Every structure is written in C-alpha cells, then in structure tokens.
Amino acid sequence: MDIIKEILKDIPIPGMVKVRQNFRAPQLEDVADAVRKTLNDTNVLARINQGDSVAIAVGSRGLADLPVLVRETVREIKRVGGQPFIVPAMGSHGGATSEGQIDVLHQLGVTEGAVEAPIKSSMEVVKIGELPNGLPVYIDRNAYEADKIVVINRVKPHTAFRGPVESGLMKMITIGLGKQKGAEAAHAFSFKYMAEHVPEMAKISLSEAPIIFGLASLENAYDKIAKVVAVPAEDLETVEPELLKAAKSLMPKIHFDEFDVLIVDELGKDISGDGMDPNITGNFATPYATGGPDIKRTVVLGLTEKTNGNANGIGMADMTTKAVVDEIIWEKGYANALTSTVIEVIKLPMVLETKELAVKAAIKTCNAFDLNKVKAVRIKNTLDIGEIWISESLIEEAKQNSNLEIISDLQELVLD
C-alpha cells in the first residue's frame, strides 16, 4: 500500500461544518393509540372470529416503532378473540433460512416477549397460482394454513423500480410472504416488469389466501411515523397508490442537487434493502428507477451492527476500507443478489487500507477542477440525514437555502 499512500499523500481533505436539514415532518404523538384507532375505525377486526388463528406478516426493514405496531395489532386481535402469531415476511432475507429470519426479527425488536405473540418461522411455501406468463405465486405455509392473515409494512418508494405500488403492503404479500421462492419468482423477469408483476401476483394471493387487511405506516423525513392506516384487503389496489404518493411527499433528501463526494459512515440491510437508499444517494442499481442528487464519488466507511455482515449495496460505493470488507459475510448479500437477479449491489468497490485513504481516493478521482474546493457531504446513513456535514465549498450554497441551517464552526474531518 506504500505506493497508494504516496499517490494520495498530498490530496487535501476539506474542513467541514455541521448542517441541520429541515423537512416538513408530521408525526404521530402516540403510535400505539393510532394503531388501535385505525384498526377499530376501519372495522377490519370484525373479520376475525372467536378462536381464529391469525398470522401477522412482519418484514425485515427497520420500520419506525415496529415492535409497537406489531404489539398493538396482536393485542387488538386477541381482544376480539383471535389467536395471533408472527410469520417473517422477508423473502430471502436472513440468509434465506428460518433461523436467520427469526434473528432478523429479534434485531428489529420483534421478539415473542416484546410483541406478546409466538413466532412461527419456516421457508416452506405453498404454490397458490401463476400469472399468464407462467410466473408462480407462492405464500408462506404457516400463513396460508392460518384462518386469517394480516400484513404490516411501511409504504415508501422502491429502490429499483417505479410504479403505482412500490415498497409496501402488496409487495410484502407477493415477495415477503412468498419467502425465497416467491421472491425469486417475482424477480425472475428483472425489475423492468416489477411494477406490473407485483400487483398482479398480489391479486392472486388476495383471492387465494385468507388475507383480511394490511396495516400501513408512513414515515416522515426523520424516520418517525407520520401516519398509520388499516386497509381492508379488497381496498389495497386502490388505496396503496395514494399512500405511496403521500410517502413520496414525506421523503427526506440531501438538499444539494449535485456535489463531488458523498461520505457514508455506515450501510446496512436495516437501513435499506440496498444498504444505502438510492432515493437519497442517487446511485441506483437498475435503470428502472431514478432520482436523488448527482454525485461523482461515494465512500462507505462501515457496516451497521444490525446488518450482521450483509453488505448488500456495497457495490454502489466507489471506495471503501479493508475493515469493511473483512466484516462482510458474502453469502448473505449473495443470497439477496441471486434472488433479485441484481448483482451490481454486491460487487466490490476500490478497497483502501484506511478511512482517510478511502476519502482521499474519492476526492482525487472526482474530477473536480480544484481539489482544494471539493464539494463533499458526509452522512451517518441514508435514514439519518436530519443533520449532515458539508465541506467549506458548500457553505455559501447552504446559506442561500432556507431548508439548511449551519450549526457548527468549521472543523477538520474526523474519520476515526
């Protein structure tokens, strides 16, 4: 590495200031009460008979207040005489094993003790139909054999395709509850057709399985719940597109349209299915989704603890460190990539010995006219961008933006 250190030794690292980003951010004061209210106001609980076994599908994403959403749903189902249990609805996540999926739920705070219901995890599925093009539709056997099924998920823009429904209840019904086989089938024709296949496959599941309602959450730009809505199964196709529009209006963003270098402290599956949400970074793994800022180089400095070595998304970075690579458990990301058929996300970026060298390599290769005036932004992760760091050359632009507030003096970039 001596030659690399020599090449990069004179590359300047800019001073930075901390900036508060402001967003429109409605927020529920009492999430538990809001869950109870929507479940009762929509009368969806009337579909549960005394003694019914009720499978509650819970995914692998780091939803805000997920244990609260699940616990209150469990309590309300019990109150009307149902016997709820949890099924992991996360496709191939958790290494595509039943034990791995339980572990993912536990890391998200969904334990039997916390949500007051048992967890039944299995990768076994039942084929319940197929599309005219031959794509099979699967569903978790434990859920299928229950008397009723309820689905809980956040509605938000997807990271790899655009359509009337993206990430949300219908996708969880199709891919999450379909386990590894269902996820594989849904991705078989690539994300190019996902916007068409997800609702069509979900319709089959809704007609063939005892799904009675979904509980959707919308999150604000600060990763807090803005709204929860119980949606009867027969209304999902019409209601979810409207929820997606509302979710998009609440999405956070980096308040700069273009800059040279993005420094990301951590990526992880608990942050985004892509490790880093491309709606925030602008680095999409497929050509079927666009948005976000124009960034020349992206550096990833770490993995989240909860991702447990799954570095899905590292391929969208340009530079990372040897320490990050040493932490990666490749089989986990490979399982996701082989299922989704998107392999760009698990490719290796340039690997540098230290964080400083990784940042310097990004600056050197960003093709800025003056490297002493490089425009750089540093974020903790793509979920936590309420406060960010910006380089000195972006300060004047920040002062002109009413959504940005400089809250620190100029400081050296501290990487360790």
Side-chain angles (χ1 to χ4, degrees), residues 214-251:
L215 181 69
S217 67
L218 303 183
E219 294 181 9
N220 66 26
Y222 301 100
D223 192 29
K224 302 295 183 183
I225 294 184
K227 186 176 185 179
V228 289
V229 185
V231 185
E234 67 274 16
D235 295 338
L236 281 171
E237 189 177 1
T238 55
V239 171
E240 188 166 342
E242 295 306 310
L243 293 176
L244 178 60
K245 291 177 184 176
K248 288 183 176 180
S249 73
L250 295 171
M251 278 283 290

Side-chain angles (χ1 to χ4, degrees), residues 54-118:
V54 183
I56 303 175
V58 181
S60 57
R61 298 287 181 255
L63 276 65
D65 290 313
L66 179 59
V68 177
L69 297 176
V70 179
R71 184 195 69 214
E72 294 306 315
T73 303
V74 165
R75 287 177 175 176
E76 288 302 291
I77 290 172
K78 286 181 178 179
R79 186 180 61 78
V80 297
Q83 298 176 354
F85 64 93
I86 311 304
V87 293
M90 56 185 77
S92 65
H93 297 179
T97 69
S98 58
E99 297 81 6
Q101 296 202 340
I102 289 176
D103 186 53
V104 170
L105 290 181
H106 284 182
Q107 290 182 53
L108 296 173
V110 180
T111 64
E112 295 189 4
V115 303
E116 302 172 8

Side-chain angles (χ1 to χ4, degrees), residues 144-209:
Y144 184 69
E145 293 178 350
D147 295 309
K148 304 287 165 54
I149 301 173
V150 171
V151 179
I152 298 176
N153 202 15
R154 171 181 57 203
V155 174
K156 65 174 291 187
H158 198 270
T159 60
F161 74 95
R162 294 288 177 258
V165 296
E166 296 177 21
S167 282
L169 298 172
M170 295 185 82
K171 179 173 174 284
M172 175 172 273
I173 290 169
T174 300
I175 297 176
L177 271 175
K179 315 300 280 195
Q180 198 277 333
K181 291 188 76 171
E184 188 171 55
H187 291 90
F189 290 178
S190 86
F191 280 102
K192 182 177 182 179
Y193 302 99
M194 192 69 74
E196 173 187 343
H197 287 164
V198 164
E200 291 305 313
M201 295 172 87
K203 282 187 217 174
I204 291 175
S205 296
L206 288 164
S207 67
E208 299 296 326

Side-chain angles (χ1 to χ4, degrees), residues 323-346:
V324 169
V325 174
D326 288 344
E327 197 177 337
I328 296 173
I329 300 173
W330 291 106
E331 307 89 79
K332 292 188 176 182
Y334 286 1
N336 296 150
L338 289 169
T339 300
S340 71
T341 73
V342 178
I343 64 171
E344 287 76 11
V345 289
I346 47 83

